């Protein structure tokens, strides 16, 4: 055992005082025994083996169903390094406070030590961590989400480099819940939550918050992005990475099935990842992206044969479902949108209470989840395990905007693309009436996940671009424009392929576009609407139009967001905002 590993384990064991320490080796026998134990102690329910082979249901504590941003801290040495978008606490103060909470927290329990890799083990991209946790549920989820076991531990022992991740469920007390990051120590301490985003420390905590700090120091990018490949009829595959805020359909886009028009010609889409991309400059001057994860931790409600047929197939076996509804007669699961008709009086909701669709409540929690390995996905890219990742032709940003952003716009260049990413926003609620939702600014979809000052993060993006001789083109898309009745205008889902098609064309220097104040907008006949019911050229014109008066309001909102950084926003981005203001007249 590497001395650094040994020292860390001794330290946390003496603090948490578990009865026993168990290393997770990655062996099938060990996992089988853990599943059995979890079914015996009620943490998991084994589902109908015929209908859901090797699948399990977990119900969380009712106060513990989502990420808790107000309890998430970046404990950098200086407050300014966390920036205005993060909660900050002095590291010594936070360590002292949490040491008291961890003290003796695992008495009578086992501490599982989970060695894991983010990215392909041995690749230049990969990074390593060890998560200590008192939860079998966490162990079994981590097995699906990261590359766990002896091979990862061997690498850690070789170098002594690993992110130190400590997780304790303790008593799940909401008031004492903390999700804390110490970037200067490559350390994450999480206590009193078992929710995925708070407890599977490989995901948001390591692969985004800590990794974004590593990326800043080492000259690469850790991003909240899906990665997909579009194969054309000649067999050429172009890769796109795309950032959208949570709940804007990243997983659905990553697994898109091309509409008939494209499928017949031989187009295919391959999924490389649905949530986290680590991106580096290659020697060829291009950007190369890799999915840091090994599985999907997706939102269940709304997933069905129409919205994401590939995910429905992915979920056929070997899944852990969390907080979905349970058909107790059949021992199967259900969620809103999975199937429309439910024979009821056999359903219990996510809280395990009797439930029917007429109760006026949700059967599955709106943030109920599935955890499944990427290898289950029928459209998984052949490059998934490529240690070099995939070369990017385009980077796409997107948010949920009822009126302002057009269906698609291409930035003028890298610097302008960084500006477009920095002014991203998303409406918090879908407009039930025609009222426009509240905009939350969410630069690069990283607002909750950037582990340092976002003004420095913008600067870092600019620096990365400067070194590229062949940078990907940067775009912004908006699938969510609504009409005067609040209905979505663009059909979305697989039809988004039509927009991706234009994006690939433009990234090769083809296709026609008009330069507008916010960038290049396609000429209306550039978006292929053949065979699309209900989308006419006039509708496309409308989707691609800009409303100057709304954009003027938008600029006021962006300015006040930029102001929160107290002068730190890079000059070139402030200039891009002034130029936009001028050009809109
Ligand atoms: C998220 C997620 O919250 O991916 O963004 O779970
Ligand atoms: Mn996410």
């Amino acid at each position: 055992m590497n001395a650094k590993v040994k020292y860390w384990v001794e330290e946390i064991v003496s603090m948490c005082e578990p009865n026993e320490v168990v290393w997770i080796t990655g062996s099938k026998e060990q996992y089988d025994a853990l599943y059995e134990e979890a079914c015996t102690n009620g943490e998991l329910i084994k589902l109908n083996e015929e209908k859901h082979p090797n699948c399990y249901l977990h119900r969380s504590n009712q106060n513990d169903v989502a990420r808790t941003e107000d309890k998430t801290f970046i404990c950098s040495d200086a407050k300014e390094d966390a920036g205005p978008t993060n909660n900050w606490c002095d590291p010594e103060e936070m360590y002292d406070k949490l040491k008291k909470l961890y003290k003796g927290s695992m008495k009578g329990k086992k501490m599982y030590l989970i060695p894991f890799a983010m990215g392909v083990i041995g690749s230049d991209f990969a990074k390593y961590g060890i998560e200590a946790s008192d939860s079998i549920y966490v162990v079994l989820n981590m097995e699906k989400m990261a590359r766990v076991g002896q091979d990862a531990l061997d690498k850690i022992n070789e170098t002594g480099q690993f992110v130190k991740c400590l997780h304790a469920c303790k008593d799940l007390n909401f008031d004492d819940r903390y999700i804390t990051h110490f970037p200067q120590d490559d350390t994450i301490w999480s206590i009193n939550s078992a929710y995925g985003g708070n407890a599977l420390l490989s995901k948001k905590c390591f692969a985004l918050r800590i990794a974004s700090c590593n990326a800043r120091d080492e000259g690469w990018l850790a991003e909240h992005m899906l990665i997909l490949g579009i194969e054309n009829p000649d067999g050429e595959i172009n890769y796109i990475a795309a950032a959208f805020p949570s709940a804007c359909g990243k997983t659905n886009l990553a697994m898109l099935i091309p509409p008939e028009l494209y499928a017949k010609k031989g187009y295919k889409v391959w999924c490389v990842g649905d949530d986290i991309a680590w991106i580096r400059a290659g020697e060829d001057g291009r950007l190369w992206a890799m999915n840091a994860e090994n599985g999907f931790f997706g939102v269940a409600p709304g997933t069905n044969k129409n919205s994401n047929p590939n995910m429905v197939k992915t979920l056929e076996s070997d899944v852990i479902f969390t907080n979905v509804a349970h058909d107790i007669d059949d021992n199967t699961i259900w969620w809103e949108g999975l199937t429309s008709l439910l024979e009821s009086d056999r359903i219990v909701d996510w809280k395990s209470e009797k439930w029917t669709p007429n109760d006026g409540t949700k059967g599955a929690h709106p943030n109920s989840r599935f955890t499944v390995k990427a290898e289950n996905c029928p459209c998984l890219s052949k490059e998934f395990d490529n240690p070099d990742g995939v070369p990017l032709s385009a980077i796409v940003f997107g948010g949920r905007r009822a009126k302002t952003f057009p269906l698609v716009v291409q930035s003028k260049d890298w610097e302008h693309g960084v500006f477009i990413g920095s002014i991203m926003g998303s409406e918090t609620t879908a407009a039930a009436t025609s009222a426009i939702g509240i905009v939350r600014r969410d630069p690069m979809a990283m607002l909750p996940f950037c582990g340092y000052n976002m003004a420095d993060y913008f600067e870092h993006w600019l620096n990365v671009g400067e070194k590229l001789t062949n940078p990907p083109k940067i775009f912004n898309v908006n699938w969510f424009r609504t009409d005067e009745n609040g209905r979505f205008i663009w059909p979305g889902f697989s039809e988004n392929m039509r927009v991706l098609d234009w994006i690939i064309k433009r990234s090769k220097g083809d296709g026609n576009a008009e330069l507008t104040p916010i960038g290049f907008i396609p000429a209306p006949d550039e978006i292929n609407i053949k065979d699309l019911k209900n989308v006419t050229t006039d509708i496309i014109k409308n989707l691609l139009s800009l409303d100057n008066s709304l954009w003027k309001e938008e600029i006021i909102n962006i300015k006040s967001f930029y102001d929160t950084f107290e002068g730190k926003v890079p000059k070139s981005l402030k200039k891009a905002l002034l130029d936009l203001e001028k050009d809109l007249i």
Side-chain angles (χ1 to χ4, degrees):
M1 188 72 61
N2 184 293
K4 287 191 184 145
V5 177
K6 202 162 163 271
Y7 179 79
W8 177 68
V9 171
E10 278 167 13
E11 214 183 3
I12 57 173
V13 166
S14 86
M15 180 166 70
C16 300
E17 301 174 39
N19 268 21
E20 200 183 324
V21 174
V22 180
W23 278 98
I24 298 300
T25 60
S27 80
K28 182 170 178 326
E29 297 70 41
Q30 189 178 37
Y31 289 130
D32 286 350
L34 287 169
Y35 274 109
E36 207 174 305
E37 188 177 339
C39 289
T40 309
N41 72 20
E43 262 181 275
L44 293 180
I45 297 168
K46 169 99 178 74
L47 293 168
N48 184 322
E49 182 58 26
E50 237 164 74
K51 296 191 173 163
H52 298 296
N54 200 25
C55 291
Y56 297 82
L57 168 64
H58 170 78
R59 290 197 190 97
S60 78
N61 189 306
Q62 289 178 28
N63 79 8
D64 192 26
V65 292
R67 282 187 291 103
T68 40
E69 288 177 18
D70 54 327
K71 291 166 181 294
T72 299
F73 288 79
I74 302 296
C75 305
S76 43
D77 287 329
K79 181 166 191 212
E80 202 197 350
D81 287 341
T85 60
N86 282 310
N87 300 312
W88 176 82
C89 179
D90 173 73
E92 285 319 308
E93 196 183 307
M94 185 59 91
Y95 275 135
D96 282 352
K97 187 196 309 218
L98 294 193
K99 275 179 190 163
K100 291 188 190 105
L101 292 177
Y102 281 114
K103 188 71 202 151
S105 61
M106 296 191 191
K107 270 188 189 150
K109 293 186 181 179
K110 289 180 187 156
M111 175 190 276
Y112 298 98
L113 291 168
I114 314 161
F116 63 94
M118 301 309 287
V120 180
I121 294 182
S123 90
D124 290 347
F125 269 111
K127 293 216 173 260
Y128 303 88
I130 303 177
E131 175 160 351
S133 175
D134 55 359
S135 159
I136 298 181
Y137 172 74
V138 165
V139 175
L140 297 175
N141 274 271
M142 284 292 286
E143 191 253 334
K144 298 192 185 297
M145 293 306 297
R147 292 163 168 93
V148 170
Q150 194 60 45
D151 292 351
L153 186 57
D154 289 346
K155 280 279 165 204
I156 293 168
N157 276 328
E158 243 169 61
T159 61
Q161 274 180 2
F162 64 104
V163 175
K164 302 181 271 288
C165 308
L166 174 59
H167 167 253
C169 290
K170 197 173 157 84
D171 41 24
L172 299 177
N173 179 341
F174 187 79
D175 295 330
D176 280 336
R177 184 166 298 162
Y178 289 95
I179 321 301
T180 64
H181 308 73
F182 303 85
Q184 64 287 4
D185 304 331
D186 274 347
T187 293
I188 302 160
W189 279 13
S190 161
I191 190 157
N192 278 317
S193 172
Y195 171 72
N198 294 335
L200 309 178
L201 301 184
S202 61
K203 195 174 177 64
K204 305 297 186 182
C205 299
F206 177 169
L208 291 176
R209 298 197 191 97
I210 294 290
S212 62
C213 296
N214 302 149
R216 168 199 58 191
D217 300 341
E218 297 163 11
W220 52 284
L221 298 166
E223 298 301 324
H224 190 206
M225 290 182 179
L226 66 93
I227 310 165
L228 60 77
I230 298 182
E231 181 172 339
N232 70 19
D234 297 332
E236 178 194 273
I237 306 181
N238 287 281
Y239 294 93
I240 296 177
F244 296 82
S246 311
C248 285
K250 283 218 310 291
T251 307
N252 293 345
L253 186 64
M255 295 185 185
L256 177 151
I257 294 182
E260 177 112 7
L261 174 75
Y262 285 87
K264 268 203 308 228
K265 288 188 198 152
Y267 281 90
K268 293 186 185 113
V269 172
W270 301 105
C271 172
V272 182
D274 80 327
D275 198 39
I276 296 176
W278 285 0
I279 304 176
R280 282 171 198 268
E283 276 163 20
D284 57 359
R286 293 191 289 179
L287 277 184
W288 290 71
M290 182 202 68
N291 180 2
E293 301 189 283
N294 201 31
F296 307 116
F297 177 67
V299 178
T303 305
N304 60 45
K305 279 195 226 120
N306 297 321
S307 65
N308 194 339
N310 277 323
M311 185 51 95
V312 170
K313 288 208 185 94
T314 305
L315 297 177
E316 275 172 6
S317 67
D318 310 284
V319 188
I320 299 174
F321 296 100
T322 301
N323 290 341
V324 297
H326 188 201
D327 180 329
I328 41 178
D329 271 13
D330 221 12
N331 195 16
T332 53
I333 44 95
W334 184 84
W335 53 72
E336 277 71 14
L338 178 63
T339 51
S340 53
L341 263 187
L342 250 190
E343 295 162 48
S344 52
D345 72 342
R346 24 194 284 180
I347 303 285
V348 295
D349 66 10
W350 66 278
K351 298 177 184 162
S352 183
E353 284 161 16
K354 269 233 167 285
W355 178 87
T356 76
N358 307 325
D359 285 358
T361 58
K362 301 282 187 201
H365 187 279
N367 193 33
S368 53
R369 296 278 177 153
F370 48 74
T371 320
V372 65
K373 282 191 182 178
E375 66 186 27
N376 272 29
C377 174
C379 61
L380 191 68
S381 163
K382 288 182 268 309
E383 305 302 328
F384 181 75
D385 281 317
N386 186 333
D388 296 328
V390 294
L392 293 180
S393 301
I395 287 179
V396 176
F397 296 120
R400 187 181 281 272
R401 302 305 304 268
K403 303 284 174 207
T404 43
F405 270 91
L407 179 62
V408 58
V409 57
Q410 180 187 359
S411 68
K412 298 173 202 167
D413 52 25
W414 179 274
E415 189 176 278
H416 184 249
V418 175
F419 168 67
I420 293 286
S422 81
I423 67 168
M424 254 173 83
S426 207
E427 271 133 35
T428 47
T429 47
T433 63
S434 59
I436 297 172
I438 315 270
V439 178
R440 162 165 132 145
R441 303 245 73 90
D442 190 354
M444 283 84 166
M446 281 288 278
L447 187 86
F449 307 122
C450 185
Y452 63 103
N453 192 316
M454 285 201 104
D456 295 333
Y457 167 76
F458 300 152
E459 186 78 54
H460 179 58
W461 262 81
L462 294 170
N463 293 340
V464 167
E466 251 170 38
K467 295 187 195 88
L468 300 173
T469 50
N470 193 1
K473 304 288 186 287
I474 301 182
F475 298 80
N476 194 92
V477 298
N478 178 20
W479 316 133
F480 300 98
R481 286 257 291 236
T482 53
D483 63 16
E484 52 298 344
N485 300 313
R487 279 189 298 251
F488 293 122
I489 306 174
W490 178 248
F493 299 105
S494 64
E495 307 302 350
N496 292 335
M497 175 73 197
R498 298 164 190 268
V499 176
L500 299 182
D501 184 25
W502 185 75
I503 287 175
I504 296 295
K505 238 200 253 170
R506 288 294 290 178
S507 59
K508 292 181 167 177
D510 300 333
N512 285 324
E514 185 198 339
L515 185 58
T516 74
I518 61 156
F520 293 101
I521 293 187
D525 61 354
E526 285 283 289
I527 303 292
N528 186 346
I529 53 171
K530 191 167 181 298
D531 297 348
L532 254 194
K533 278 190 227 112
N534 306 329
V535 182
T536 59
T537 308
D538 278 347
I539 288 177
I540 284 289
K541 273 189 195 152
N542 174 12
L543 283 167
L544 295 171
S545 64
L546 294 184
D547 180 330
N548 280 18
S549 61
L550 281 180
W551 268 95
K552 281 181 189 152
E553 278 171 40
E554 181 79 5
I555 284 173
I556 296 171
N557 190 299
I558 297 166
K559 269 191 186 151
S560 66
F561 178 65
Y562 272 11
D563 283 347
T564 62
F565 294 94
E566 297 174 341
K568 279 193 77 156
V569 171
K571 279 201 195 70
S572 58
L573 302 190
K574 282 194 265 190
K575 177 166 180 311
L577 185 58
L578 288 176
D579 288 348
L580 172 58
E581 195 172 14
K582 263 196 312 211
D583 292 349
L584 278 168
I585 291 166

